[in-house]
Amino acid sequence: MKIQNNYNPDVLSCLANLSSDEVFTPPKLANEILDLLPKEIWKDKNATFLDPVSKSGVFLREIAKRLLEGLQDEIPNIQKRIDHIYTKQIFGIGITEMTSLLSRRSVYCSKEANGKYSISDSFNDNHGNIFFDNTNHDWKNGRCSYCGASQSEYEREEGLETHAYQFIHNNLPNKIKNMKFDVIIGNPPYQMSFGIEGANSSNAKSIYNLFITQAIKLNPRYLTMITPSRWMTKTSQGIPDEWVENILKSNKFKIVHDFENSSDCFPGVSIMGGVNYFLWGNDYIGKCDYYFHSNGNKNVSHRHDYLDSVQSGIIIRDPKSYGIIDKIIKKDGQYFNETNNNFSSLVSPKHFFDRGVLLTSNWKDFKNKRQGDYNIKYYVNKNSYNMDFGWISKKQIPKNIETKNLNKVYIPAANGSRDIILGKPFYGEPNSICSQTYLIIGYNPQNHIFSKQECMNIISYIKTRFFRYLVSIKKKTQNGPRGVYQFVPLQDFNQLWTDEKLYKKYELTKEEIEFIESMIRPMN
């Protein structure tokens, strides 16, 4: 292999990520995000920039490059220009001591701002304008009052990382505490495990919304960050629905680039549901230029509209879905907000029968055979027990026992490959219940009592590509709570449903049908 002698790779494009939740931003991506900002800002010697979650310093470094070029006429002397930019315009807060050192090395060419090799000789201390201060959680009733971290998991001895991020723990450095920033920019930590020691990502709660909220409180002219896209569909665990609704209703997003596959932004990193970066404008209220990137970033769809133009409480991410949703709305005469009478009204909440340790997915106090008081069929997690069901007694059911005798449909609460979307539904006969592995369709006798045939027709509906495509609009992770059924319209379940009947009912075009069938495989 021949290698050019002058080959000099950017070291910041070669860094290994800290974890799948704290990923370094590649320089190319950082510049694509900076391109969202108005061009005139690079010629403004008074503009100020803050990266409150600095990891490698890449944003600050690339900002400095742009200002060095943009201020040539304003400040011709290169050293004076450097000193002005570095001391008056760019600021950062490291997420750890290590990343603060790395950021200083990237920005000042020295881990000490006043060091021998620092590019600026105007600093009197070693941290310059890139700060880090050890911060403690504020424990109240076992949780941090700022970020919600578990005291049992994150109260650690001195010297160990506690993940008490300075920016969201009301601990701004004195030098910048009262500053007004024109731009706040960054790639915040995405989530923390709030459960037991060693809890996996399914037990983790998102915290990137806390960084967005704190940044908005500082009242910048512009805010731009890259985050997971799960917040758009209300599928980020720990992010309140009200937060999503309020941030959408503000209509302050000018530009959003949404990537279905996170590896299009972070090569080799898998973040469920994809990622997005955005430009939020403090003085802006209006429609958003929304770009949806799919198929390895080969396909880019664009729309200029309010992010929640169909009043659904979320962002319908793929613009191709809007035409289909619009036809359903016109046919059925109602919008798909979360209080409307859509299919989710038939689906039970999570943990419908279980409570505490009873009837959870790993609960074992059931019988393999029907005997005595153990005469109620109990559908278990078959992957855990290599069986479909066992038998329990009535006294073991802690709540919602009235659903036991209904005809119903069970469906996995978390399942489905990328192009199948849902796990297979099955009929739940009277005198049966299930573990928390499943949700129950037809759970509420006050709503409607289904016959066995109606349940079989519901199953036929769920198995259609049409149904599962509408679920996929909101379901971007493995979890499938009742809310993912928001865009599925109710039907007359006295009849069997097929894709052909549904395509005809909603007058879908050949192109719309081909699009759905290119996305969703048949459920055999």
Side-chain angles (χ1 to χ4, degrees):
M1 184 184 299
K2 294 182 179 179
I3 302 177
Q4 295 180 352
N5 291 333
N6 63 351
Y7 176 61
N8 187 22
D10 187 339
V11 67
L12 297 190
S13 67
C14 307
L15 294 174
N17 292 310
L18 300 175
S19 69
S20 61
D21 300 317
E22 295 179 358
V23 296
F24 288 114
T25 310
K28 178 177 179 292
L29 175 60
N31 278 292
E32 290 171 358
I33 295 172
L34 289 171
D35 285 342
L36 300 181
L37 294 166
K39 289 182 172 56
E40 59 269 20
I41 203 165
W42 310 118
K43 294 186 177 183
D44 184 353
K45 69 175 184 178
N46 296 314
T48 50
F49 302 80
L50 171 67
D51 179 357
V53 285
S54 191
K55 300 171 188 173
S56 67
V58 64
F59 284 112
L60 299 179
R61 189 191 71 174
E62 298 306 312
I63 288 169
K65 285 183 182 179
R66 293 179 181 226
L67 290 171
L68 280 167
E69 180 178 346
L71 296 177
Q72 285 185 80
D73 294 337
E74 183 81 9
I75 310 175
N77 182 281
I78 180 65
Q79 189 59 52
K80 288 183 179 179
R81 193 157 73 247
I82 288 173
D83 290 339
H84 174 84
I85 292 167
Y86 282 31
T87 60
K88 305 290 186 184
Q89 294 192 265
I90 58 175
F91 302 83
I93 302 173
I95 63 170
T96 66
E97 185 174 13
M98 182 196 76
T99 63
S100 68
L101 294 172
L102 179 57
S103 296
R104 292 183 199 116
R105 177 63 180 82
S106 300
V107 177
Y108 305 137
C109 300
S110 170
K111 68 178 182 179
E112 296 176 344
N114 60 349
K116 177 180 178 181
Y117 300 105
S118 175
I119 197 171
S120 174
D121 56 10
S122 296
F123 290 113
N124 297 320
D125 51 52
N126 59 10
H127 58 68
N129 284 342
I130 300 176
F131 310 95
F132 174 76
D133 184 19
N134 279 315
T135 302
N136 296 318
H137 292 285
D138 180 41
W139 303 122
K140 291 182 179 177
N141 300 319
R143 298 282 184 189
C144 176
S145 63
Y146 290 106
C147 70
S150 167
Q151 184 173 4
S152 62
E153 186 168 355
Y154 286 101
E155 187 174 43
R156 297 170 177 172
E157 61 187 73
E158 189 174 349
L160 294 180
E161 175 57 51
T162 62
H163 299 279
Y165 300 110
Q166 191 172 345
F167 186 62
I168 60 173
H169 283 75
N170 200 28
N171 188 25
L172 290 179
N174 290 330
K175 188 173 182 179
I176 64 174
K177 186 173 290 186
N178 297 314
M179 284 188 65
K180 173 78 163 71
F181 289 98
D182 293 278
V183 177
I184 296 180
I185 187 170
N187 177 12
Y190 295 158
Q191 64 185 32
M192 293 178 70
S193 171
F194 283 15
I196 60 172
E197 185 72 34
N200 59 31
S201 60
S202 66
N203 294 319
K205 290 190 178 182
S206 301
I207 60 170
Y208 55 90
N209 61 305
L210 302 178
F211 292 89
I212 295 173
T213 297
Q214 180 64 18
I216 291 173
K217 286 180 180 178
L218 295 185
N219 203 30
R221 283 173 59 199
Y222 300 104
L223 168 63
T224 179
M225 286 186 170
I226 182 164
T227 73
S229 293
R230 296 188 292 269
W231 69 268
M232 296 180 171
T233 53
K234 294 183 178 176
T235 50
S236 268
Q237 186 173 345
I239 294 184
D241 289 352
E242 295 78 11
W243 183 89
V244 178
E245 292 162 6
N246 289 335
I247 202 166
L248 291 182
K249 287 177 182 176
S250 71
N251 292 320
K252 286 183 173 290
F253 287 93
K254 294 188 70 174
I255 305 170
V256 173
H257 285 269
D258 185 11
F259 296 81
E260 186 177 36
N261 191 336
S262 61
S263 63
D264 292 338
C265 290
F266 302 109
V269 176
S270 177
I271 298 170
M272 290 290 288
V275 297
N276 74 94
Y277 57 81
F278 60 82
L279 178 65
W280 176 97
N282 201 351
D283 298 326
Y284 180 78
I285 297 178
K287 295 181 179 181
C288 174
D289 280 308
Y290 176 86
Y291 300 87
F292 184 71
H293 302 251
S294 60
N295 191 24
N297 208 14
K298 295 176 183 175
N299 298 333
V300 183
S301 303
H302 169 258
R303 65 183 177 92
H304 180 71
D305 204 346
Y306 295 105
L307 285 177
D308 185 17
S309 61
V310 297
Q311 304 172 35
S312 62
I314 67 166
I315 297 174
I316 298 175
R317 294 174 61 192
D318 190 340
K320 294 187 184 72
S321 304
Y322 272 89
I324 298 170
I325 292 289
D326 188 56
K327 288 183 175 181
I328 297 171
I329 290 172
K330 288 177 179 177
K331 182 70 176 178
D332 292 345
Q334 62 181 16
Y335 282 101
F336 282 103
N337 64 49
E338 291 166 304
T339 59
N340 271 348
N341 195 23
N342 52 59
F343 194 85
S344 63
S345 65
L346 304 183
V347 183
S348 72
K350 292 174 67 176
H351 309 292
F352 185 70
F353 290 118
D354 64 277
R355 175 179 288 160
V357 298
L358 294 172
L359 309 187
T360 58
S361 294
N362 57 2
W363 181 72
K364 299 179 180 179
D365 195 15
F366 60 87
K367 304 295 184 184
N368 292 344
K369 295 181 179 181
R370 182 171 181 165
Q371 52 184 278
D373 291 338
Y374 288 79
N375 57 7
I376 300 170
K377 186 176 282 189
Y378 172 61
Y379 286 96
V380 300
N381 184 339
K382 68 163 111 182
N383 292 328
S384 297
Y385 299 106
N386 199 28
M387 58 190 296
D388 292 322
F389 59 86
W391 298 90
I392 64 171
S393 66
K394 183 177 179 180
K395 65 184 179 182
Q396 291 175 302
I397 304 174
K399 59 181 181 176
N400 295 317
I401 196 168
E402 65 275 8
T403 300
K404 173 179 74 73
N405 291 325
L406 298 178
N407 292 291
K408 46 202 171 283
V409 174
Y410 295 122
I411 191 165
N415 209 329
S417 65
R418 183 181 180 88
D419 50 3
I420 292 292
I421 308 302
L422 295 170
K424 290 184 179 180
F426 60 94
Y427 171 63
E429 66 272 52
N431 198 45
S432 73
I433 70 163
C434 62
S435 75
Q436 65 180 199
T437 301
Y438 302 100
L439 300 179
I440 306 97
I441 298 167
Y443 71 99
N444 186 358
Q446 304 301 317
N447 186 353
H448 183 79
I449 297 177
F450 289 103
S451 67
K452 179 178 179 180
Q453 186 57 54
E454 285 178 302
C455 288
M456 301 311 293
N457 292 338
I458 288 173
I459 290 172
S460 74
Y461 185 37
I462 293 171
K463 287 186 174 182
T464 64
R465 286 168 154 175
F466 176 85
F467 182 104
R468 289 178 288 122
Y469 171 72
L470 294 174
V471 171
S472 76
I473 292 173
K474 196 167 180 182
K475 185 179 184 291
K476 300 300 181 182
T477 66
Q478 188 181 40
N479 291 326
R482 67 196 302 189
V484 303
Y485 299 90
Q486 177 180 348
F487 295 107
V488 180
L490 289 172
Q491 307 295 344
D492 175 6
F493 295 119
N494 289 306
Q495 59 179 299
L496 191 73
W497 288 98
T498 65
D499 277 312
E500 289 69 26
K501 290 173 71 172
L502 292 162
Y503 296 156
K504 183 177 181 179
K505 176 179 178 178
Y506 294 106
E507 301 177 0
L508 300 193
T509 65
K510 179 183 177 182
E511 290 74 20
E512 288 168 333
I513 293 170
E514 288 176 348
F515 171 65
I516 289 174
E517 297 192 347
S518 71
M519 300 285 288
I520 310 297
R521 281 195 294 138
M523 181 181 280
N524 296 325

